Amino acid sequence: MTGLQGAANPSGPAGFVGRHTWKMEDPLFGGFSGIELSDDGSRFVALSDRGSWTEGTIRRDATGQITDIDAAPPEKLKAQDEAPLKSNRADSEGLAMAPDGTLYVSFEGAARILRYPAFGRSAENLPSPPEFRDLPKNAALEALAVDAQGRLYTLPEDTPQGAGAFPVFRYDPATGWSQPFLFPRDGTFLPVGADFGPDGQLYVLERQFRGLGGFASRVRVVDPASQGIAQTQTVLETAPGQYGNLEGLAVWRDAAGDVRLTLIADDNFLFLLSTEIVEYRLPR
């Protein structure tokens, strides 16, 4: 499905581009919680929340809308050897790609981050700050992003008390972990994805569950040089039930020079839900 379906007017300056339903007959296909795109939006890597990944090509028409996706069969992430991650440690949620192609994956259950020189190869554990041990087991590190200097930014889906601002953790390979600022809580939206845009700003994808009303999604932008509680700008907020459970976010610049937001939905491996990719554009 491509085109203007689901294009109800959102709040924020982002303009709707397209919506595409992605299907593949493979038992590992689904549950996507992270996505990274090439600079021109033609190549992608996608991450499942059950410890698997795939990559491929995105085909677009003259208007920039997605028309088809060619992807390799999903494969399981490896642990620190050639074996796949154990099922109780395979709750992979956040995905980030460094400028040199290194891939990072964050986990929600046992809160940690793995580094991969490439998917298909063995993992390396990054050191974890002691604060990771206090994060909620079912709401830990869903959002992960890496800046142009190769520094990682992550924040939990929720806090231990379920209240207050969200701590943002930054990992600099030269100096280790720090906590530069707090991402403010606003309503019942919770952060589930993040990416750095070509403008150097940090984009954070949030979701809100409305029960039978479905999910609402929001994207807020923050200056990574913030200190204390950051100031944010909402660039996109969708209506409840407009889309599925959008969990992954990639931010890039399209051929027209606009910032493009590409969001991927987690189908929870349920027959009634679908894997969809939704795109919005921010004008220059």
Side-chain angles (χ1 to χ4, degrees):
M1 177 172 60
T2 306
L4 297 179
Q5 300 182 42
N9 290 330
S11 63
F16 180 77
V17 175
R19 178 181 187 179
H20 181 84
T21 298
W22 179 24
K23 298 180 180 180
M24 182 188 295
E25 295 298 325
D26 190 293
L28 294 179
F29 180 83
F32 290 107
S33 60
I35 189 168
E36 285 285 337
L37 268 64
S38 59
D39 289 344
D40 64 356
S42 66
R43 297 283 304 172
F44 77 95
V45 178
L47 176 75
S48 163
D49 62 8
R50 296 189 183 179
S52 62
W53 64 279
T54 184
E55 62 183 352
T57 301
I58 296 176
R59 304 188 186 282
R60 301 175 183 275
D61 63 17
T63 69
Q65 293 189 42
I66 298 173
T67 58
D68 197 12
I69 295 176
D70 296 327
E75 298 181 27
K76 291 188 176 182
L77 291 169
K78 291 184 178 180
Q80 291 178 278
D81 50 26
E82 290 300 308
L85 293 170
K86 294 181 179 180
S87 59
N88 63 346
R89 293 179 64 82
D91 191 0
S92 49
E93 295 288 352
L95 173 65
M97 181 182 289
D100 65 359
T102 300
L103 292 155
Y104 297 89
V105 177
S106 63
F107 292 81
E108 184 177 54
R112 69 199 193 283
I113 295 174
L114 298 183
R115 174 167 49 202
Y116 290 88
F119 281 162
R121 297 177 62 180
S122 299
E124 174 189 352
N125 269 308
L126 290 187
S128 295
E131 290 85 356
F132 281 9
R133 293 196 295 266
D134 298 326
L135 298 177
K137 295 299 182 184
N138 62 342
L141 304 178
E142 288 230 6
L144 184 67
V146 60
D147 66 14
Q149 289 75 48
R151 298 175 299 183
L152 284 172
Y153 287 71
T154 187
L155 65 161
E157 182 185 3
D158 210 347
T159 58
Q161 299 78 25
F166 305 93
V168 175
F169 302 100
R170 180 174 64 201
Y171 179 74
D172 187 323
T175 59
W177 287 100
S178 62
Q179 188 182 312
F181 60 90
L182 298 172
F183 186 77
R185 186 184 294 262
D186 184 6
T188 57
F189 281 89
L190 299 174
V192 293
D195 197 19
F196 274 91
D199 52 6
Q201 299 297 290
L202 178 61
Y203 291 72
V204 178
L205 168 63
E206 302 170 281
R207 71 172 169 208
Q208 179 189 63
F209 182 55
R210 298 282 190 90
L212 294 178
F215 292 94
S217 298
R218 181 172 68 187
V219 177
R220 284 193 284 168
V221 183
V222 60
D223 184 348
S226 297
Q227 296 181 355
I229 298 180
Q231 297 292 316
T232 67
Q233 177 192 4
T234 297
V235 296
L236 172 65
E237 184 172 333
T238 70
Q242 185 175 349
Y243 304 115
N245 180 19
L246 298 175
E247 283 202 14
L249 171 68
V251 187
W252 51 287
R253 195 178 300 281
D254 63 21
D258 297 326
V259 171
R260 185 79 66 94
L261 310 177
T262 299
L263 307 100
I264 191 168
D266 176 1
D267 68 353
N268 295 316
F269 289 94
L270 295 175
F271 175 76
L272 295 176
L273 301 179
S274 62
T275 297
E276 59 181 352
I277 297 178
V278 179
E279 292 193 311
Y280 279 82
R281 176 185 291 118
L282 287 169
R284 284 172 288 176

